[in-house]
Amino acid sequence: MAHEAHDSDIGQPRVSAFDHSGGGAATAGGSFPPETPGRSFGPLGGDGCRVGCDYGRTDDDRLPWDAGGRYGGWGGHEHFGTAPGASRPPVVFVHGNGRDACDWNPHAEYFLDNGYRGDELWAITFSEATTGHRAMVEQLQAFVSRVLAYTGRDEVALVAHSLGVTGARWWLRSYDGHERVETFVGLAGANHGLRLGTLCCRLGTTAGPLSVCRVLRDDYERHADHPLSALNADETPGDVAYYTIRGTDDDLFWGCRESPALAGARENLALRTDHEGVRASPEAIERVYDWVAPASTPGTPTPRCSADRVPDPTYRELYGLA
């Protein structure tokens, strides 16, 4: 069951940081003026999908069920042409800002080559290129529920990249998802915010793909009831094996290289690569497989960013945490 504070924000007319449909500076009433439509980070196709992906965002032709136009993606033995059945927790891949399920095709190939079946491999495409955390939570809840029902398993392994990391973590918190997740792998997630997010908020540049900056500002601890504060009150909840990877050459995390790390994770790994390489490099794919397939030993937590907290009561209403 979702936490009451988050549920109360869903479907309300005001705009919050968990919704992609707001831009500009916060007003005294705790809402944002309408955003200017924009394209998301990275090369995109006609309807917001990554160039090279031939499927629409809510196309469910590669799924064994009707998604009702809520999301797209791929998965299952029919899609991959393997024997049916899942003898281990299925892997659910979660993409980042402006991306889609096609990002994970190389991972599927690697996992299949190393013994996985099609029913053990799934990837969601969120309905919009820049999907706010609130919508990501609802779509991921529906997707994971269908995966578990279809495979007959009790748990999944969750692998997320970039914006998908904080979205997936918010799903864990909102629906007690940690009870249905065996392993969580966060790749280049802004778990402790971005300097870019703070800068965009100060400049009022929060439209289109930058609308998520409000929830990903690195000075979040200076603002009362900011959602990252709630999310990071317990960074690794439940009986879940957590792992993270950050790139030493990832310019998205300038000024706060340790943002992707999670306190309490079994391993917080740094690879000599950039933002995309954290997801797509051969070393990253192999490491994700090693973590998801067998168990690994605990590692040492990595420090995170922090800042002095100052009162800002507007965040309680803005993020639906009242």
Side-chain angles (χ1 to χ4, degrees):
M1 181 177 180
H3 286 280
E4 182 178 354
H6 184 68
D7 268 354
S8 66
D9 193 42
I10 296 172
Q12 298 299 316
R14 71 177 185 275
V15 176
S16 81
F18 293 114
D19 195 323
H20 65 275
S21 57
T27 65
S31 61
F32 295 88
E35 96 176 3
T36 302
R39 304 295 290 275
S40 295
F41 298 118
L44 305 178
D47 70 346
C49 275
R50 178 176 61 86
V51 170
C53 181
D54 297 326
Y55 298 87
R57 301 204 68 85
T58 57
D59 190 335
D60 57 15
D61 287 348
R62 296 171 292 171
L63 293 170
W65 60 75
D66 182 357
R70 298 179 63 186
Y71 54 79
W74 52 248
H77 67 273
E78 293 181 348
H79 173 64
F80 288 109
T82 70
S87 60
R88 57 190 131 198
V91 185
V92 174
F93 296 100
V94 183
H95 66 81
N97 195 7
R99 312 298 291 191
D100 56 75
C102 291
D103 268 356
W104 304 104
N105 291 344
H107 298 72
E109 182 177 354
Y110 186 88
F111 276 62
L112 289 168
D113 288 344
N114 285 276
Y116 270 69
R117 298 180 183 180
D119 286 344
E120 297 168 334
L121 297 170
W122 306 84
I124 188 172
T125 295
F126 292 116
S127 60
E128 299 194 26
T130 297
T131 300
H133 285 71
R134 183 172 56 185
M136 292 170 73
V137 165
E138 299 309 308
Q139 292 173 40
L140 193 55
Q141 166 68 4
F143 190 83
V144 172
S145 297
R146 293 302 297 262
V147 168
L148 292 175
Y150 183 83
T151 60
R153 303 292 303 187
D154 296 325
E155 293 180 312
V156 299
L158 209 57
V159 179
H161 177 239
S162 195
L163 184 64
V165 176
T166 47
R169 289 183 64 209
W170 201 264
W171 170 74
L172 291 176
R173 182 182 189 274
S174 298
Y175 283 96
D176 293 326
H178 54 270
E179 296 182 358
R180 291 182 286 168
V181 174
E182 180 185 72
T183 306
F184 182 95
V185 180
L187 308 174
N191 292 313
H192 301 104
L194 301 169
R195 292 285 169 87
L196 174 64
T198 301
L199 179 62
C200 288
C201 288
R202 290 174 178 173
L203 296 177
T205 311
T206 54
L210 296 178
S211 61
V212 296
C213 288
R214 294 190 300 271
V215 75
L216 297 181
R217 56 190 307 161
D218 76 325
D219 65 347
Y220 65 93
E221 289 184 327
R222 295 174 56 85
H223 301 273
D225 302 307
H226 190 282
L228 281 184
S229 294
L231 199 60
N232 290 331
D234 182 359
E235 299 185 19
T236 50
D239 186 20
V240 179
Y242 290 87
Y243 303 89
T244 73
I245 302 179
R246 66 177 179 87
T248 60
D249 302 325
D250 188 344
D251 291 337
L252 188 64
F253 294 103
W254 57 272
C256 187
R257 297 292 183 185
E258 311 296 344
S259 181
L262 291 173
R266 293 195 177 188
E267 187 171 357
N268 289 306
L269 177 67
L271 294 180
R272 194 180 184 90
T273 187
D274 59 12
H275 193 69
E276 288 300 294
V278 168
R279 172 186 56 80
S281 70
E283 185 176 0
I285 294 175
E286 292 172 10
R287 187 57 66 98
V288 169
Y289 175 85
D290 289 342
W291 285 335
V292 168
S296 288
T297 56
T300 303
T302 307
R304 63 174 198 171
C305 292
S306 62
D308 294 331
R309 179 183 171 95
V310 296
D312 188 351
T314 60
Y315 274 86
R316 179 175 293 278
E317 180 178 354
L318 285 176
Y319 296 104
L321 297 173

